[in-house]
Amino acid sequence: MLQRLINSRAVNAVGLGCMNLSHAYGHPPSEKDASRLLLQALEVGVDHFDTAALYGFGANEKLLGKVLKPYRQQIFLASKCGMRGVDGKRVIDGRPQTLRATIEQSLTSLQTDVLDLYYLHRWDKSVPIEESVGELSRMVDEGKIKAIGLSEVSASTLRKAHQEHPIAALQTEYSLWTRNAEISVLDTCKELGCAFVAFSPLGRGFLTGKVADASTLVDGDIRKGMPRFQHDNVQQNQRLLAVLNEMASQLHCTAGQVSLAWLLHQGKHVLPIPGTTNVAHLQENMAASLIRLSAAQLQELNSAFAPQNISGDRYPPATQAEIDTEDY
């Protein structure tokens, strides 16, 4: 399998984002089914697992700890702090004392002594980035984490943090229909030697062609409140799928595989972490690293999915205000 580096460690280029096993997209699978999927992920070659304190308000970390503990030395395990569930609500809190409490809980839940990578899930804008990263650097010194990551931050914030302590990875949304990373942060990661971990690389399911508009989604699915999944925007965006589907037909693969292959062609430091609850989709995702796209095919996709052709913001205003990424 194609491999990429995070903090000088080689992992398979396509990892597994574990959020939807416990969180965000409506009714998560049962613990039995989620556990089965994690074990099957190991079987098909996944060795990079990504979770967070927020996911399932702690349930996701506990799930991974229970299932993956026997395989701990074989996998690259990443989690996140700075955003968690408090009294049933999502809270962003980057104060050092909060990050300290979160790492202790994460290590307990994940049944490990050290994490390979620990992200600041969101930059708490009331706390200087240097202060939050400074606390994470002390965790590195103490052997609780091996490397520091950031999520949903701009190139300028990445540079500030990197001066405080080397940042091994930056994670943000990146896909054919979310190209904000190309404004600056993708190149900044390459310059600084940071891995770029792309979450929602399949456009939260949209690029697979299997997700319609918000009205078809179940209660509790966060996409119901996202502008791009509202009916008028979906109608506009679905027209872009024709190019993707035609290319998939030519290559004898799925639209999702073309989308992941496109990402893998955007730089050797790019590692997508698609999430799924479906074993067949898991196998498809892992096989995407075998697909090679020509320069002409890449250009065709770039043109079809140019930012000006995408209808609707990726987040509603309140959520957009919480993040620090550049925007078109």
Side-chain angles (χ1 to χ4, degrees):
M1 283 187 179
L2 178 67
Q3 293 197 317
R4 299 264 161 102
L5 297 177
I6 308 182
N7 195 36
S8 300
R9 177 167 169 181
V11 297
N12 288 330
V14 179
L16 180 66
C18 298
M19 179 180 73
N20 58 355
L21 296 178
S22 308
H23 187 88
Y25 293 146
H27 309 304
S30 66
E31 181 178 331
K32 180 179 178 181
D33 288 342
S35 299
R36 183 183 299 117
L37 184 126
L38 288 171
L39 292 173
Q40 288 168 327
L42 290 166
E43 290 181 8
V44 300
V46 175
D47 57 3
H48 173 198
F49 293 83
D50 182 276
T51 183
L54 176 72
Y55 301 161
F57 289 8
N60 198 247
E61 288 185 325
K62 291 177 182 177
L63 169 70
L64 267 64
K66 181 178 180 180
V67 176
L68 299 179
K69 183 180 180 180
Y71 312 95
R72 179 67 188 92
Q73 299 308 310
Q74 305 167 30
I75 64 172
F76 186 93
L77 185 58
S79 192
K80 309 179 195 72
C81 61
M83 184 163 64
R84 57 182 184 152
V86 178
D87 297 329
K89 295 182 180 180
R90 181 176 60 85
V91 175
I92 296 174
D93 186 346
R95 294 174 298 169
Q97 61 267 38
T98 302
L99 304 186
R100 175 64 57 174
T102 306
I103 183 59
E104 298 301 339
Q105 182 59 59
S106 291
L107 292 174
T108 297
S109 296
L110 289 163
Q111 300 190 42
T112 187
D113 295 326
V114 59
L115 294 178
D116 297 300
L117 178 62
Y118 203 42
Y119 293 93
L120 186 66
H121 203 163
R122 290 291 184 274
W123 172 34
D124 178 351
K125 297 176 184 178
S126 69
V127 179
I129 189 66
E130 296 89 347
E131 191 172 324
S132 295
V133 171
E135 184 63 21
L136 294 176
S137 73
R138 286 183 278 278
M139 297 178 195
V140 174
D141 293 340
E142 295 162 10
K144 295 181 183 294
I145 64 176
K146 293 182 180 180
I148 298 171
L150 299 177
S151 178
E152 293 276 53
V153 300
S154 63
S156 62
T157 300
L158 171 60
R159 289 184 185 281
K160 290 178 183 178
H162 196 72
Q163 290 179 343
E164 182 70 22
H165 187 281
I167 302 300
L170 183 142
Q171 180 174 146
T172 196
E173 185 174 356
Y174 187 32
S175 69
L176 275 169
W177 83 333
T178 300
R179 308 275 292 275
N180 307 62
E182 295 172 5
I183 296 172
S184 182
V185 78
L186 187 64
D187 286 341
T188 302
C189 283
K190 184 176 181 179
E191 175 193 334
L192 298 177
C194 304
F196 184 98
V197 178
F199 77 76
S200 297
L202 297 174
R204 302 184 187 274
F206 178 80
L207 296 173
T208 68
K210 297 175 182 177
V211 178
D213 61 47
S215 65
T216 68
L217 301 173
V218 301
D219 290 343
D221 191 315
I222 61 173
R223 293 171 292 187
K224 288 180 77 73
M226 291 181 170
R228 286 190 185 171
F229 289 93
Q230 305 313 305
H231 182 73
D232 289 347
N233 289 329
V234 167
Q235 292 293 100
Q236 295 291 322
N237 292 326
Q238 280 183 333
R239 292 185 292 186
L240 306 176
L241 295 180
V243 173
L244 193 56
N245 290 332
E246 175 60 26
M247 193 172 295
S249 178
Q250 294 171 4
L251 294 168
H252 305 290
C253 65
T254 67
Q257 287 177 314
V258 174
S259 301
L260 291 174
W262 175 86
L263 264 177
L264 291 169
H265 282 72
Q266 302 312 304
K268 293 182 180 179
H269 62 311
V270 177
L271 299 92
I273 50 167
T276 185
T277 60
N278 182 294
V279 176
H281 295 164
L282 176 68
Q283 294 170 329
E284 285 180 13
N285 294 343
M286 294 303 292
S289 65
L290 302 175
I291 298 171
R292 298 293 178 266
L293 300 176
S294 68
Q297 288 170 327
L298 290 168
Q299 183 55 48
E300 184 179 1
L301 291 170
N302 286 339
S303 297
F305 286 87
Q308 63 268 26
N309 295 338
I310 309 301
S311 182
D313 295 329
R314 67 184 181 111
Y315 286 134
T319 307
Q320 186 66 36
E322 295 175 345
I323 63 175
D324 179 50
T325 52
E326 293 91 352
D327 200 5
Y328 285 104

